[in-house]
Amino acid sequence: MISVENLKVEFGVKPLFSDASFVVNARDRIALVGKNGAGKSTMLKILCGQERPTAGTVSVAQDATIGYLPQVMNLQDQTTVREEAQKAFEDTARLKERVERLERQMNERTDYESQDYMELVERYTTEHERLLMAGAESQEAALERTLSGLGFLRTDLERPTSEFSGGWRMRIELAKILLRRPDVLLLDEPTNHLDIESIQWLEQLLAQWSGAVVLVSHDRAFIDNVSNRTLEISCGHVIDYRVKYSEYVTLRKDRREQQLRAWENQQKEMAEMKDFIERFRYKATKAVQVQQKIRQLEKMVPIEIDEVDNAAMHLKFPPCLRSGDYPIICDEVRKEFRVKCLELRDFSSKSLGLRDVSDSDGSNVSQLSTLNSHLVFDHVNLTIKRGEKVAFVGKNGEGKTTLVKCIMGEIPFDGSLKIGHNVQIGYFAQNQAQLLDESLTVRDTIDRVARGEVRLRINDILGAFMFGGEAADKRVRVLSGGERSRLAMIRLLLEPVNLLILDEPTNHLDMPSKDVLKEAIRAFDGTAIIVSHDREFLDGLVTKVFEFGGGRVREHIGGIYDFLRDRGESIEVRGERIEIKGESASKSESKTNLPPSTSQLSSQKNDYAAHKEQQKRLKKAEKAVEDSEKKIARMEQRLKELDALLCDPKNASDMTLVTEYTDTKRQLDEEVERWEQLSEELENLNT
């Protein structure tokens, strides 16, 4: 697919990396790893042709297509979600137009025996087969399936993209890339704006991807579930490990230990030679042996050891005052957004400015009317004790950040939300890194917020966060996403707090930095609320999970993986969540602790039995659709291989290939028709 030879990239005196050589093969699932600033994003840009290397070559196979998802992108606001996603099929649309144009030409002509007409028929046949192989007939179903997997509801598809946040619009761009089905996928931090459900869906999709995948991610669980090969960029070198990420970690450690032992033995041998040379350099009887040792020493090739960047973020939260026993108490908290606008009647040119819409005769009237209201959550009752580490999880848009803003007092709400005695809050927002002044240097950014004795320790603090030496004089505008996040984290730590609220703190942090941050939070004396979709980061850190969804906030005791396991034991029946455990059932959302009556319990069991039967039928239908899609993918791939073989003049008269192509084409058409029927049945079950 892609061949890289002797690649070298220089942005300053020291090369970013040099002598990098590797090949990206079909079906490779490559995890590109390394610390922030090592050059991972630069490598992806070079592979897709957006940037040119200082030296070396990058060769892409003929006709190979590349799909690239950058960390930051320019997003469009003039279309609906469906219209924007349909742009992924622009090449297919142009192909369809060519087929229709050729078909019209065939219908208009009457010289059926001429050579030109036969060539026209041949072109039409070729283009029409390409159109069928592109799956034009199933594009709409694929579009809805992909957007649904990324968390969009069916009702979202007709909404303007301008109504969505940057994270949701990034999902649209990811959907467009996946729908194009390129031969090589280059993904730079694709999980940053995805919730746990969408991350798991993307894991399954990439595991079955027919092409190659090269991805950069700091989500350990995600890359370990996807990758089968690891490329490490470390200290200017690219090292290829043909194993998944978790195995790479072990191999890397073993490899370096072996290199270290070999290097120590070589150093010992070289020291003995040098000592012999120095002792007998001027002794005539040893002259021959001395010259022999000198020649041996000159011929020895020093053993190289894989350099390890030992710079680590030494993070320690400063001592804080003791807060009350209950820093956060929510009682029947409700948040509803009400959207209002000016309703105009009898428009005139004067009223189009939306400033003064009333005339002397009263013909132009403006009224302030509520267009819509959106309930984010209701009946939120939760208590967070001092010293607890809790997680807020759930799909994007379900209210995690909204509740955080309610706690911070940034937005109004209904109900009672009490902040405990002597609580001092430290808040790290999702967009904290983007709020930095890009014209300042790293040192100036911290100097402007530091107070008192802290100003005397700015250099020590910056060094602890890997901004020592010349790095402290970098402008913010040249920092990578991870470096900006570290800088924003320093700002948070300048004042002692006893309640940490971290909203997606691990976005753009590399794995070593995440490990250190995790250990620091674990050792933190105060209380922590963490909004995150990073399963590995939350594992072993939090002892309670609050799940946001359907306008409710549900409490789960235990860690993140306990929550994920327990979630499989709860079901939605008639809009209410019912927990099934043995012979009894209880409504978790009940406002009282009264046990259900016999009739209620019987009704719940009947509902559960019906739900289980429905779920069984749904899973069977989903499995049938999935198997059909795999079969279609295999046949499409085989048709592509046969088409390439038949294009070779040597195989033009091979009737075996022709027969196989015809049979495969017929089977593909039948399977596509069967898939459409299965998809329709699945959709009916879902509704």
Side-chain angles (χ1 to χ4, degrees), residues 307-333:
E307 294 183 51
V308 175
D309 191 347
N310 293 316
M313 180 172 63
H314 303 289
L315 177 58
K316 183 179 180 181
F317 292 97
C320 58
L321 296 175
R322 180 186 175 94
S323 70
D325 290 338
Y326 301 98
I328 301 292
I329 300 176
C330 293
D331 184 17
E332 293 295 317
V333 173

mmCIF file of all heavy atoms in Angstrom, residues 307-333:
data_model
loop_
_atom_site.group_PDB
_atom_site.id
_atom_site.type_symbol
_atom_site.label_atom_id
_atom_site.label_comp_id
_atom_site.label_asym_id
_atom_site.label_seq_id
_atom_site.Cartn_x
_atom_site.Cartn_y
_atom_site.Cartn_z
ATOM 1 N N GLU A 307 17.104 4.440 22.816
ATOM 2 C CA GLU A 307 17.017 5.502 23.808
ATOM 3 C C GLU A 307 15.614 5.534 24.395
ATOM 4 O O GLU A 307 14.631 5.325 23.706
ATOM 5 C CB GLU A 307 17.337 6.856 23.169
ATOM 6 C CG GLU A 307 18.772 6.964 22.692
ATOM 7 C CD GLU A 307 19.056 8.338 22.129
ATOM 8 O OE1 GLU A 307 18.760 9.329 22.812
ATOM 9 O OE2 GLU A 307 19.545 8.426 21.001
ATOM 10 N N VAL A 308 15.546 5.808 25.658
ATOM 11 C CA VAL A 308 14.264 5.938 26.338
ATOM 12 C C VAL A 308 14.174 7.340 26.900
ATOM 13 O O VAL A 308 15.082 7.801 27.594
ATOM 14 C CB VAL A 308 14.116 4.906 27.475
ATOM 15 C CG1 VAL A 308 12.822 5.144 28.241
ATOM 16 C CG2 VAL A 308 14.154 3.505 26.910
ATOM 17 N N ASP A 309 13.094 8.013 26.561
ATOM 18 C CA ASP A 309 12.887 9.353 27.082
ATOM 19 C C ASP A 309 12.409 9.241 28.530
ATOM 20 O O ASP A 309 11.268 8.884 28.787
ATOM 21 C CB ASP A 309 11.841 10.085 26.236
ATOM 22 C CG ASP A 309 11.777 11.565 26.577
ATOM 23 O OD1 ASP A 309 12.358 11.947 27.606
ATOM 24 O OD2 ASP A 309 11.151 12.318 25.818
ATOM 25 N N ASN A 310 13.334 9.536 29.451
ATOM 26 C CA ASN A 310 12.997 9.401 30.863
ATOM 27 C C ASN A 310 12.357 10.653 31.449
ATOM 28 O O ASN A 310 12.044 10.698 32.638
ATOM 29 C CB ASN A 310 14.258 9.056 31.665
ATOM 30 C CG ASN A 310 14.785 7.677 31.313
ATOM 31 O OD1 ASN A 310 14.021 6.735 31.208
ATOM 32 N ND2 ASN A 310 16.091 7.578 31.110
ATOM 33 N N ALA A 311 12.199 11.681 30.596
ATOM 34 C CA ALA A 311 11.526 12.885 31.077
ATOM 35 C C ALA A 311 10.081 12.538 31.385
ATOM 36 O O ALA A 311 9.369 12.018 30.547
ATOM 37 C CB ALA A 311 11.605 13.975 30.009
ATOM 38 N N ALA A 312 9.657 12.798 32.576
ATOM 39 C CA ALA A 312 8.290 12.448 32.978
ATOM 40 C C ALA A 312 7.670 13.602 33.741
ATOM 41 O O ALA A 312 8.361 14.400 34.372
ATOM 42 C CB ALA A 312 8.284 11.190 33.843
ATOM 43 N N MET A 313 6.378 13.689 33.666
ATOM 44 C CA MET A 313 5.650 14.737 34.352
ATOM 45 C C MET A 313 5.493 14.344 35.820
ATOM 46 O O MET A 313 4.768 13.413 36.142
ATOM 47 C CB MET A 313 4.282 14.918 33.690
ATOM 48 C CG MET A 313 3.432 15.991 34.312
ATOM 49 S SD MET A 313 1.943 16.305 33.360
ATOM 50 C CE MET A 313 1.123 14.727 33.480
ATOM 51 N N HIS A 314 6.218 15.031 36.700
ATOM 52 C CA HIS A 314 6.137 14.742 38.129
ATOM 53 C C HIS A 314 5.057 15.641 38.709
ATOM 54 O O HIS A 314 5.289 16.817 38.996
ATOM 55 C CB HIS A 314 7.485 14.983 38.805
ATOM 56 C CG HIS A 314 8.588 14.179 38.198
ATOM 57 N ND1 HIS A 314 8.692 12.812 38.351
ATOM 58 C CD2 HIS A 314 9.619 14.544 37.402
ATOM 59 C CE1 HIS A 314 9.751 12.369 37.704
ATOM 60 N NE2 HIS A 314 10.323 13.395 37.111
ATOM 61 N N LEU A 315 3.880 15.082 38.874
ATOM 62 C CA LEU A 315 2.710 15.870 39.229
ATOM 63 C C LEU A 315 2.321 15.615 40.675
ATOM 64 O O LEU A 315 2.148 14.468 41.081
ATOM 65 C CB LEU A 315 1.552 15.502 38.295
ATOM 66 C CG LEU A 315 0.201 16.157 38.544
ATOM 67 C CD1 LEU A 315 0.319 17.659 38.481
ATOM 68 C CD2 LEU A 315 -0.796 15.671 37.518
ATOM 69 N N LYS A 316 2.212 16.680 41.432
ATOM 70 C CA LYS A 316 1.774 16.555 42.815
ATOM 71 C C LYS A 316 0.894 17.749 43.149
ATOM 72 O O LYS A 316 1.310 18.896 43.008
ATOM 73 C CB LYS A 316 2.969 16.503 43.769
ATOM 74 C CG LYS A 316 2.559 16.303 45.225
ATOM 75 C CD LYS A 316 3.779 16.222 46.136
ATOM 76 C CE LYS A 316 3.344 16.013 47.580
ATOM 77 N NZ LYS A 316 4.511 15.957 48.486
ATOM 78 N N PHE A 317 -0.316 17.462 43.573
ATOM 79 C CA PHE A 317 -1.218 18.542 43.939
ATOM 80 C C PHE A 317 -0.780 19.137 45.278
ATOM 81 O O PHE A 317 -0.421 18.394 46.203
ATOM 82 C CB PHE A 317 -2.657 18.028 44.037
ATOM 83 C CG PHE A 317 -3.229 17.630 42.718
ATOM 84 C CD1 PHE A 317 -3.225 16.315 42.308
ATOM 85 C CD2 PHE A 317 -3.768 18.584 41.871
ATOM 86 C CE1 PHE A 317 -3.739 15.941 41.087
ATOM 87 C CE2 PHE A 317 -4.289 18.227 40.648
ATOM 88 C CZ PHE A 317 -4.278 16.907 40.253
ATOM 89 N N PRO A 318 -0.804 20.454 45.404
ATOM 90 C CA PRO A 318 -0.363 21.086 46.659
ATOM 91 C C PRO A 318 -1.328 20.775 47.795
ATOM 92 O O PRO A 318 -2.492 20.435 47.571
ATOM 93 C CB PRO A 318 -0.371 22.582 46.313
ATOM 94 C CG PRO A 318 -1.339 22.712 45.188
ATOM 95 C CD PRO A 318 -1.228 21.442 44.403
ATOM 96 N N PRO A 319 -0.858 20.881 49.042
ATOM 97 C CA PRO A 319 -1.747 20.634 50.189
ATOM 98 C C PRO A 319 -2.950 21.576 50.159
ATOM 99 O O PRO A 319 -2.844 22.731 49.723
ATOM 100 C CB PRO A 319 -0.839 20.920 51.396
ATOM 101 C CG PRO A 319 0.552 20.782 50.872
ATOM 102 C CD PRO A 319 0.514 21.214 49.442
ATOM 103 N N CYS A 320 -4.081 21.074 50.603
ATOM 104 C CA CYS A 320 -5.301 21.878 50.548
ATOM 105 C C CYS A 320 -6.014 21.843 51.901
ATOM 106 O O CYS A 320 -5.759 20.972 52.735
ATOM 107 C CB CYS A 320 -6.239 21.354 49.459
ATOM 108 S SG CYS A 320 -6.713 19.628 49.677
ATOM 109 N N LEU A 321 -6.899 22.801 52.097
ATOM 110 C CA LEU A 321 -7.703 22.843 53.310
ATOM 111 C C LEU A 321 -8.727 21.719 53.302
ATOM 112 O O LEU A 321 -9.177 21.286 52.241
ATOM 113 C CB LEU A 321 -8.408 24.197 53.423
ATOM 114 C CG LEU A 321 -7.506 25.431 53.570
ATOM 115 C CD1 LEU A 321 -8.353 26.696 53.533
ATOM 116 C CD2 LEU A 321 -6.691 25.363 54.858
ATOM 117 N N ARG A 322 -9.115 21.263 54.473
ATOM 118 C CA ARG A 322 -10.108 20.204 54.580
ATOM 119 C C ARG A 322 -11.493 20.785 54.291
ATOM 120 O O ARG A 322 -11.881 21.809 54.863
ATOM 121 C CB ARG A 322 -10.076 19.604 55.988
ATOM 122 C CG ARG A 322 -11.078 18.482 56.225
ATOM 123 C CD ARG A 322 -11.053 18.082 57.694
ATOM 124 N NE ARG A 322 -12.074 17.098 58.009
ATOM 125 C CZ ARG A 322 -11.881 15.789 58.011
ATOM 126 N NH1 ARG A 322 -10.692 15.318 57.699
ATOM 127 N NH2 ARG A 322 -12.854 14.957 58.317
ATOM 128 N N SER A 323 -12.221 20.119 53.413
ATOM 129 C CA SER A 323 -13.572 20.571 53.083
ATOM 130 C C SER A 323 -14.579 19.889 53.996
ATOM 131 O O SER A 323 -14.216 19.049 54.836
ATOM 132 C CB SER A 323 -13.899 20.245 51.628
ATOM 133 O OG SER A 323 -14.038 18.843 51.458
ATOM 134 N N GLY A 324 -15.860 20.242 53.835
ATOM 135 C CA GLY A 324 -16.916 19.574 54.573
ATOM 136 C C GLY A 324 -17.042 18.120 54.165
ATOM 137 O O GLY A 324 -16.432 17.675 53.189
ATOM 138 N N ASP A 325 -17.823 17.358 54.916
ATOM 139 C CA ASP A 325 -17.951 15.927 54.651
ATOM 140 C C ASP A 325 -18.622 15.645 53.307
ATOM 141 O O ASP A 325 -18.393 14.590 52.707
ATOM 142 C CB ASP A 325 -18.753 15.256 55.768
ATOM 143 C CG ASP A 325 -17.978 15.214 57.076
ATOM 144 O OD1 ASP A 325 -16.734 15.296 57.021
ATOM 145 O OD2 ASP A 325 -18.613 15.098 58.139
ATOM 146 N N TYR A 326 -19.453 16.574 52.853
ATOM 147 C CA TYR A 326 -20.182 16.362 51.600
ATOM 148 C C TYR A 326 -19.985 17.587 50.686
ATOM 149 O O TYR A 326 -20.763 18.545 50.741
ATOM 150 C CB TYR A 326 -21.669 16.126 51.868
ATOM 151 C CG TYR A 326 -21.925 14.929 52.753
ATOM 152 C CD1 TYR A 326 -22.152 15.077 54.117
ATOM 153 C CD2 TYR A 326 -21.908 13.639 52.221
ATOM 154 C CE1 TYR A 326 -22.360 13.977 54.932
ATOM 155 C CE2 TYR A 326 -22.117 12.533 53.025
ATOM 156 C CZ TYR A 326 -22.337 12.709 54.381
ATOM 157 O OH TYR A 326 -22.539 11.609 55.176
ATOM 158 N N PRO A 327 -18.944 17.554 49.836
ATOM 159 C CA PRO A 327 -18.675 18.717 48.975
ATOM 160 C C PRO A 327 -19.809 19.030 47.993
ATOM 161 O O PRO A 327 -20.040 20.191 47.674
ATOM 162 C CB PRO A 327 -17.397 18.306 48.229
ATOM 163 C CG PRO A 327 -16.770 17.258 49.077
ATOM 164 C CD PRO A 327 -17.896 16.527 49.712
ATOM 165 N N ILE A 328 -20.510 18.008 47.493
ATOM 166 C CA ILE A 328 -21.577 18.225 46.515
ATOM 167 C C ILE A 328 -22.824 17.458 46.956
ATOM 168 O O ILE A 328 -22.765 16.250 47.207
ATOM 169 C CB ILE A 328 -21.168 17.751 45.099
ATOM 170 C CG1 ILE A 328 -19.923 18.487 44.622
ATOM 171 C CG2 ILE A 328 -22.314 17.938 44.116
ATOM 172 C CD1 ILE A 328 -20.136 19.950 44.360
ATOM 173 N N ILE A 329 -23.969 18.167 47.034
ATOM 174 C CA ILE A 329 -25.262 17.529 47.310
ATOM 175 C C ILE A 329 -26.274 18.076 46.304
ATOM 176 O O ILE A 329 -26.557 19.274 46.294
ATOM 177 C CB ILE A 329 -25.747 17.803 48.746
ATOM 178 C CG1 ILE A 329 -24.739 17.268 49.775
ATOM 179 C CG2 ILE A 329 -27.120 17.168 48.969
ATOM 180 C CD1 ILE A 329 -25.116 17.597 51.208
ATOM 181 N N CYS A 330 -26.807 17.201 45.458
ATOM 182 C CA CYS A 330 -27.829 17.577 44.482
ATOM 183 C C CYS A 330 -29.171 16.994 44.930
ATOM 184 O O CYS A 330 -29.262 15.799 45.220
ATOM 185 C CB CYS A 330 -27.488 17.051 43.092
ATOM 186 S SG CYS A 330 -26.035 17.814 42.349
ATOM 187 N N ASP A 331 -30.191 17.843 44.954
ATOM 188 C CA ASP A 331 -31.525 17.415 45.361
ATOM 189 C C ASP A 331 -32.536 17.886 44.319
ATOM 190 O O ASP A 331 -32.802 19.084 44.195
ATOM 191 C CB ASP A 331 -31.863 17.993 46.742
ATOM 192 C CG ASP A 331 -33.205 17.496 47.263
ATOM 193 O OD1 ASP A 331 -33.711 16.480 46.744
ATOM 194 O OD2 ASP A 331 -33.756 18.133 48.186
ATOM 195 N N GLU A 332 -33.064 16.924 43.548
ATOM 196 C CA GLU A 332 -34.074 17.209 42.522
ATOM 197 C C GLU A 332 -33.606 18.301 41.550
ATOM 198 O O GLU A 332 -34.349 19.205 41.186
ATOM 199 C CB GLU A 332 -35.404 17.622 43.170
ATOM 200 C CG GLU A 332 -36.075 16.509 43.954
ATOM 201 C CD GLU A 332 -36.505 15.342 43.066
ATOM 202 O OE1 GLU A 332 -37.044 15.599 41.989
ATOM 203 O OE2 GLU A 332 -36.275 14.185 43.465
ATOM 204 N N VAL A 333 -32.351 18.191 41.114
ATOM 205 C CA VAL A 333 -31.804 19.173 40.176
ATOM 206 C C VAL A 333 -32.358 18.898 38.779
ATOM 207 O O VAL A 333 -32.420 17.744 38.334
ATOM 208 C CB VAL A 333 -30.262 19.134 40.167
ATOM 209 C CG1 VAL A 333 -29.700 20.029 39.077
ATOM 210 C CG2 VAL A 333 -29.717 19.543 41.523
#
